[in-house]
Amino acid sequence: MPRPRSLTQDQIAAAALAVIDRDGLAALSMRAVATELGMSAMALYRYVGDRQEVEGLVVELVLGGVDVSPPPGTSWRERVTTLVGRLRDQVGAHPHVVPLTMTHRHRSVGVLRWSEAVLGILTEAGLAGADRVIALRGLLSYVIGAVQLEHLGPLSGAGTTVIAGLAPADFPYMAETAGHARLVGADEEFYGGLAIVLRGMCDT
Amino acid sequence: MPRPRSLTQDQIAAAALAVIDRDGLAALSMRAVATELGMSAMALYRYVGDRQEVEGLVVELVLGGVDVSPPPGTSWRERVTTLVGRLRDQVGAHPHVVPLTMTHRHRSVGVLRWSEAVLGILTEAGLAGADRVIALRGLLSYVIGAVQLEHLGPLSGAGTTVIAGLAPADFPYMAETAGHARLVGADEEFYGGLAIVLRGMCDT
DNA sequence: ATCGTAGGTATATACCGTACGCCTACGAGG
DNA sequence: CCTCGTAGGCGTACGGTATATACCTACGAT
């Protein structure tokens, strides 16, 4: 065989992630990734078919790094909380990737492995059939939404500006809540919401 | 004053939404919106500063259309369920807009009005202070995540393909769950998950 | 040493957002 | 009624994007 491959897809993913972490998601382009790798833009197309595929690789790199071995010797709720927390931490380490995780989540085997682990714990908790399906999807929904809310919320404080500038009298509850919200940390908020979901999931 | 404005921002938003609904989100461009309105691309910049602003207008158009008047004469859980359902329906009517709602959610007064209404119901339910903050954010997280899971999941069945093709023996729970999942309708799944969140939110 | 495969690059196309400059339609003041 | 200034709308141009195509070339097996 002629000329061995000089690049792996992981290297491409790592280069793309480096670009995103450094310059933001908008800076991700085939040219930028190629430059990061010291190659021509078109050279990438020997390894990926598409820009979309590069994005998928980045998501896989980020989401695949989650440790899905459940912590032993604790209650099922604590174990799920740990797995959820690890997912959150991994995404939180690369905030700019958040929008990508959404678009490419469904093709990630990392998410699949994570879901499999969570399903195992839910099964131990006594859930089965449709209840278990709904519980997993509910959990996934919460995590996806919460992570996005956390990282895409106050982008440059624009959200707060809208609240502050727009007739506080018309939004009395929001105004009051905003005061409380400042005192609630991100962790407390995230794990508090998670506790709500876990509490409602089954009786035991 | 010379020459009255011939366009409102709502017309631009409607045109952009029409493009998105017809040709998908990727087809959204200043040129496409302008063509939809029968104008030159640059004419839009008399009314909008930016492509981002157009996107914001679309989100506002979609999210602002949600009726936030709580249905009378029912329990607080039912009322929240109704408001959440209306939000889901509105977004569900324009699935291609989902990724935009995420990016521009924080600047939407529609979301603000919706949150205000939900907060009112939560207050009646006896929630206050940090609990209420966490409950609202938990609810928002669930809705955001669930809507995305619903509309961005099996994009052209790619997700299912991954599950099916990838060693069912390594993912026994996922394989089994997939069977159950096919029998659970989207509505059942969505409102089932919502019920979990509402159940865990407070005791009464 | 040679040859075919496949890596890498250079070029070209089509599209994008948008800065700039021009023409012109229009409403108010004389 | 006529004129004038403002601001609407458009044409062009620039720099960016993804990617198709065609080419040269480095390499490993023969």
Side-chain angles (χ1 to χ4, degrees):
Chain A
M1 301 300 151
R3 241 184 131 163
R5 317 216 96 193
S6 60
L7 238 57
T8 66
Q9 290 201 329
D10 288 281
Q11 287 175 277
I12 295 181
L17 183 56
V19 170
I20 294 174
D21 282 342
R22 182 183 352 109
D23 303 323
L25 184 57
L28 179 67
S29 72
M30 301 301 273
R31 285 171 163 85
V33 176
T35 301
E36 185 79 17
L37 289 166
M39 309 178 74
S40 166
M42 290 312 294
L44 293 180
Y45 287 89
R46 292 279 172 192
Y47 301 90
V48 290
D50 213 314
R51 179 210 162 105
Q52 294 262 324
E53 197 172 326
V54 175
E55 296 178 356
L57 290 174
V58 172
V59 172
E60 193 57 48
L61 179 62
V62 172
L63 262 38
V66 179
D67 177 10
V68 297
S69 61
T74 55
S75 75
W76 70 268
R77 272 184 240 267
E78 286 179 81
R79 270 177 291 164
V80 171
T81 300
T82 300
L83 255 54
V84 169
R86 284 194 198 139
L87 187 59
R88 174 188 178 233
D89 292 342
Q90 192 74 14
V91 175
H94 308 279
H96 289 131
V97 182
V98 169
L100 287 188
T101 60
M102 185 189 100
T103 321
H104 297 276
R105 165 190 43 78
H106 51 283
R107 311 182 211 176
S108 162
V109 297
V111 173
L112 216 60
R113 288 192 306 130
W114 185 88
S115 299
E116 177 73 14
V118 172
L119 272 178
I121 303 175
L122 292 182
T123 306
E124 286 181 40
L127 286 167
D131 285 346
R132 197 176 54 186
V133 173
I134 293 173
L136 176 68
R137 296 275 286 198
L139 219 36
L140 253 180
S141 296
Y142 175 76
V143 178
I144 292 172
V147 167
Q148 290 178 10
L149 212 49
E150 189 173 348
H151 294 288
L152 266 65
L155 260 186
S156 71
T160 322
T161 308
V162 169
I163 296 180
L166 207 86
D170 288 345
F171 300 93
Y173 291 117
M174 285 302 287
E176 188 194 338
T177 302
H180 288 289
R182 247 184 296 279
L183 304 176
V184 181
D187 284 7
E188 188 184 343
E189 202 166 279
F190 180 83
Y191 287 107
L194 179 57
I196 288 177
V197 177
L198 291 176
R199 197 181 309 135
M201 225 145 69
C202 81
D203 298 328
T204 60
Chain B
M1 302 297 150
R3 244 187 128 161
R5 318 214 97 194
S6 60
L7 238 59
T8 67
Q9 290 201 330
D10 289 279
Q11 288 176 277
I12 295 181
L17 184 56
V19 170
I20 293 173
D21 283 341
R22 183 180 355 107
D23 303 323
L25 185 57
L28 179 68
S29 72
M30 300 301 274
R31 286 172 165 86
V33 175
T35 302
E36 185 79 16
L37 289 165
M39 309 178 73
S40 165
M42 290 314 292
L44 293 180
Y45 287 90
R46 292 280 173 189
Y47 302 90
V48 184
D50 213 317
R51 178 209 161 105
Q52 294 261 324
E53 199 172 324
V54 175
E55 296 178 357
L57 290 174
V58 172
V59 172
E60 193 56 48
L61 179 63
V62 172
L63 262 38
V66 179
D67 177 12
V68 297
S69 61
T74 55
S75 76
W76 71 268
R77 270 184 240 266
E78 287 177 81
R79 270 177 291 164
V80 171
T81 301
T82 300
L83 255 55
V84 168
R86 285 194 199 138
L87 187 59
R88 175 191 177 229
D89 292 342
Q90 193 73 13
V91 175
H94 308 279
H96 290 131
V97 182
V98 170
L100 288 189
T101 61
M102 185 188 100
T103 322
H104 298 276
R105 165 189 44 76
H106 51 285
R107 309 181 212 175
S108 162
V109 296
V111 173
L112 215 59
R113 289 191 306 130
W114 186 88
S115 299
E116 177 73 13
V118 171
L119 272 178
I121 302 175
L122 292 182
T123 307
E124 286 182 40
L127 287 167
D131 286 346
R132 198 175 53 185
V133 173
I134 293 173
L136 176 68
R137 296 275 288 197
L139 218 36
L140 253 179
S141 296
Y142 175 75
V143 178
I144 293 172
V147 166
Q148 290 177 11
L149 212 49
E150 189 174 349
H151 294 288
L152 266 65
L155 259 186
S156 71
T160 322
T161 308
V162 168
I163 296 179
L166 208 87
D170 289 345
F171 298 92
Y173 291 117
M174 285 302 287
E176 187 193 342
T177 302
H180 288 289
R182 246 185 298 278
L183 305 176
V184 181
D187 284 7
E188 188 183 345
E189 201 166 279
F190 180 83
Y191 287 107
L194 178 58
I196 288 177
V197 177
L198 291 176
R199 198 181 308 137
M201 224 145 70
C202 81
D203 299 329
T204 58

